[in-house]
Amino acid sequence: VRLVGHGRQPAIRVDPPAVNCGAVQAFSEVTGSVDIMNSSNLTVYYTVQTMAADGGVHGDSAPKALKVDHTEGSVAGRCTQKLNFVFRPPQRGTYQYIVRVQPLGGKPEAKRAGPSPRRDHDRMGRAVEFTIHAEVEYPYIQISDLRADSVSCQPLSMVWAQCQVDAVNELFQGEVAHTEREFQAAIGIDQKKKLVKELTPFQFNFGTAAAGSQPTILNVALSNPGHLPAQFLFQFPKDLTLEKAPSWCDERIAAANEEAHFDWVEEHRIYEVEPREGTIPPGGFIFVRFTYHHINV
């Protein structure tokens, strides 16, 4: 009797070989999947390993941002198995990964069950890889232009400096601080009042003019140089207080003099912002008008 047989290594491939998540907002969640296809007639067991590729974000952020739904699995002959992943980046930057799917010669449990006549790596098939790429950003805006209309004409460079435009642009280009994220997520008024004092303050100086003179108007061009839509909202001090205080609490008496002053300023429309909120598409811009009425307060 002559026995004739033919052996072959596990044969799998992945589709697609590259996943481009495009522009992704930091702290958002992106899900995706690839297909692991078995072109042989036998069940193939495999392991999955994720690695941060060169040229991407370094440190602990990259490994923690990508999670796959399983690191060991199997795919039957002539069948397909999905490998799902979740990507949640904690900071801006370029993220690049190599995900390796390594076929095994048998079940993972059988591999660990004791000595084998052949070494483990001799029984492994050829590994297949696919890549994941993402450009992570924060939605951000920049002040690209500024024009002032007032009684006293001032050079643009002076108006630019008085409104601290360079400092504002630099802030938006940087990383979002933990306190800023806490303020955005805060719900209670007391918590917002506490956190707003910890934010970085800036000043728009409208200059000096005689009481009763024509209002000073600043036309500010807000641009979105990023790849994500940018939503903006101007919140006034009164947005952090109750509009109708209950009968047992008179906020005007309990509030500090500074808060009472801001309330009076808003009630008498000393300054106005139009529009107060909006969305700027990627590569787009919008004009915001700041109006200050020169009234003796």
Side-chain angles (χ1 to χ4, degrees), residues 18-273:
V19 178
N20 189 348
C21 298
V24 178
Q25 181 175 334
F27 291 98
S28 65
E29 187 173 283
V30 176
T31 59
S33 65
V34 297
D35 292 327
I36 302 175
M37 293 177 283
N38 182 3
S39 59
S40 67
N41 294 318
L42 301 176
T43 299
V44 174
Y45 297 90
Y46 61 86
T47 61
V48 180
Q49 181 184 12
T50 59
M51 300 165 288
D54 295 336
V57 173
H58 299 288
D60 296 335
S61 299
K64 294 180 179 179
L66 180 67
K67 302 294 182 184
V68 294
D69 64 347
H70 64 274
T71 57
E72 293 182 351
S74 64
V75 53
R78 304 293 176 181
C79 293
T80 300
Q81 175 68 38
K82 280 198 174 294
L83 175 63
N84 302 308
F85 66 86
V86 177
F87 178 59
R88 191 175 189 273
Q91 66 181 65
R92 66 174 60 175
T94 300
Y95 287 75
Q96 298 185 111
Y97 299 93
I98 298 175
V99 183
R100 177 174 297 164
V101 182
Q102 176 67 66
L104 305 175
K107 291 184 179 181
E109 293 78 11
K111 276 176 81 266
R112 298 190 291 265
S116 173
R118 301 185 65 184
R119 292 175 298 177
D120 289 339
H121 63 77
D122 289 335
R123 297 187 287 117
M124 289 183 179
R126 178 177 297 179
V128 292
E129 299 176 345
F130 67 93
T131 61
I132 299 176
H133 177 89
E135 293 291 339
V136 178
E137 299 181 357
Y138 295 114
Y140 74 104
I141 60 175
Q142 294 282 274
I143 300 177
S144 56
D145 197 8
L146 181 66
R147 291 290 185 269
D149 181 12
S150 63
V151 176
S152 58
C153 295
Q154 296 178 338
L156 178 59
S157 58
M158 182 177 294
V159 178
W160 193 273
Q162 288 178 342
C163 294
Q164 299 181 281
V165 174
D166 291 335
V168 172
N169 286 341
E170 183 179 356
L171 175 73
F172 283 125
Q173 290 174 356
E175 292 291 330
V176 177
H178 179 68
T179 302
E180 295 170 340
R181 290 189 51 78
E182 282 188 325
F183 177 79
Q184 292 173 346
I187 299 177
I189 293 177
D190 292 337
Q191 187 179 8
K192 279 185 173 290
K193 282 185 176 182
K194 177 183 177 182
L195 292 171
V196 74
K197 298 177 181 179
E198 301 178 20
L199 301 178
T200 304
F202 295 98
Q203 175 177 283
F204 266 31
N205 189 341
F206 286 84
T208 305
S213 59
Q214 71 177 40
T216 296
I217 299 175
L218 290 179
N219 292 300
V220 180
L222 299 180
S223 62
N224 179 7
H227 298 89
L228 299 170
Q231 295 181 333
F232 67 90
L233 170 66
F234 291 96
Q235 289 188 315
F236 297 164
K238 201 168 185 178
D239 295 328
L240 305 179
T241 60
L242 294 173
E243 289 190 13
K244 293 183 178 180
S247 57
W248 49 265
C249 174
D250 188 348
E251 276 201 332
R252 293 194 176 281
I253 297 177
N257 292 334
E258 185 178 7
E259 292 184 10
H261 169 76
F262 286 140
D263 287 347
W264 189 93
V265 167
E266 287 190 51
E267 288 177 0
H268 291 77
R269 301 176 67 88
I270 303 300
Y271 63 89
E272 300 175 81
V273 179

